[in-house]
Amino acid sequence: MNSLKETAYMCPFNITEHIAKAHQQVEQACLKFDRNPSDVQVLAVSKTQPAEAIRAAAATGQQAFGENYLQEALQKKQQLADLPKLEWHFIGAIQSNKTRELAENFDWLHTLDRLKIAQRLNDQRPDHLPPLKVLIQVNISDEASKAGVAPATALAFAQQVMQLPRLALSGLMCIPKATEDFTKQRQAFAQLAALQADLKKVLPTAHLNTLSMGMSSDLEAAIAEGSTCVRLGTAIFGAREAKH
Ligand SMILES: *Cc1c(COP(=O)(O)O)cnc(C)c1O
């Protein structure tokens, strides 16, 4: 990694303006669907973006960033070590031989769907850090290609995760089947919200307060159905270059 002083970042557009627009979109959706904007966190998905794009976003007050690729995230974390207040969310696929670095470097993990991974993260979460906040990824559209537990097994899995003291089970996450049909978008998100409501009834001691759903193209439908965390990449940083 380049340890020299970073060269000035030439942002392809005005990040301040993009972030303001993304927040406006979120606020408008909240107004339209009778949600309180302070209940919807904007997670800036910074995968494939340079550290300096995150620095520029952080300068506008954005604190929570989502990353999909571990090595890339660790490099950027190191480059941004002088910004101590950032909150790091892992939203990518988890490889079982990478759990230690995940447990040591992230505040949140949105993509938990296997007990073996949960146990490893629990064992490897350092004592000086608070329990790792985890969300169970649910394969809400039942796509063979997608990660996530089946809705029918979410309760049993949640009960197992709750036994792990170094993990703090905090809610559910989904990436529904892509569609431009607003009604269909809402249906998928409504299913995840209903599942979370069911789990809360059966598990009253769990703090299932986070529903991570909605990306740049379906944030309005997600907010309509109760999302508390929209994961926005394109809306904040612009289109990504193909990579990985
Ligand atoms: C890339 C990604 C996002 C952001 O997608 P955009 O469409 O650019 O907003 C959100 N969630 C996950 C899990 C992702 O991988």
Side-chain angles (χ1 to χ4, degrees):
M1 197 188 327
N2 190 353
S3 61
L4 297 172
K5 223 172 145 200
E6 289 158 32
T7 49
Y9 171 60
M10 296 293 289
C11 181
F13 53 82
N14 185 335
I15 281 198
T16 310
E17 216 169 85
H18 258 236
I19 291 193
K21 254 194 214 152
H23 278 269
Q24 247 169 35
Q25 250 182 302
V26 168
E27 274 161 34
Q28 272 164 13
C30 286
L31 199 66
K32 192 162 163 188
F33 295 102
D34 205 19
R35 298 283 316 280
N36 185 341
S38 64
D39 292 338
V40 184
Q41 179 183 33
V42 172
L43 179 63
V45 175
S46 43
K47 64 178 169 215
T48 79
Q49 304 296 339
E52 286 311 290
I54 297 177
R55 187 180 293 282
T60 75
Q62 178 70 36
Q63 284 187 336
F65 293 88
E67 289 281 344
N68 292 58
Y69 310 106
L70 180 63
Q71 292 314 319
E72 179 194 326
L74 295 183
Q75 266 195 18
K76 287 189 260 184
K77 242 193 116 186
Q78 203 177 332
Q79 289 173 292
L80 299 166
D82 59 308
L83 300 177
K85 281 206 210 104
L86 300 187
E87 186 180 286
W88 293 95
H89 295 233
F90 191 77
I91 62 171
I94 306 168
Q95 292 169 276
S96 59
N97 61 340
K98 299 289 169 59
T99 51
R100 182 175 301 280
E101 282 166 306
L102 289 171
E104 288 173 354
N105 285 285
F106 285 85
D107 305 297
W108 286 79
L109 190 140
H110 291 224
T111 47
L112 192 63
D113 65 356
R114 275 176 293 163
L115 184 59
K116 182 182 149 209
I117 297 281
Q119 286 165 336
R120 289 175 65 96
L121 290 167
N122 179 68
D123 294 344
Q124 294 167 341
R125 180 68 169 174
D127 286 337
H128 69 273
L129 295 176
L132 177 63
K133 295 192 191 76
V134 296
L135 305 176
I136 294 176
Q137 182 174 357
V138 179
N139 189 354
I140 206 75
S141 309
D142 192 24
E143 292 174 275
S145 61
K146 283 264 171 74
V149 303
T153 63
L155 172 61
F157 185 50
Q159 284 171 318
Q160 290 173 317
V161 174
M162 282 175 71
Q163 305 299 315
L164 303 172
R166 299 297 293 147
L167 302 185
L169 179 61
S170 304
L172 304 179
M173 175 271 206
C174 72
I175 309 172
K177 191 170 179 189
T179 169
E180 283 173 15
D181 182 327
F182 186 69
T183 306
K184 284 190 187 143
Q185 289 177 356
R186 280 193 69 161
Q187 279 168 357
F189 293 136
Q191 283 174 34
L192 192 74
L195 181 59
Q196 174 118 304
D198 285 350
L199 296 194
K200 278 172 104 154
K201 263 183 237 154
V202 186
L203 308 171
T205 59
H207 299 281
L208 300 172
N209 299 319
T210 300
L211 264 181
S212 169
M213 53 188 204
M215 320 204 311
S216 300
S217 56
D218 55 13
L219 70 91
E220 185 171 307
I223 287 170
E225 296 299 342
S227 173
T228 70
C229 177
V230 286
R231 309 179 307 267
L232 307 183
T234 312
I236 287 182
F237 294 107
R240 284 180 295 276
E241 282 180 37
K243 198 183 163 184
H244 299 281

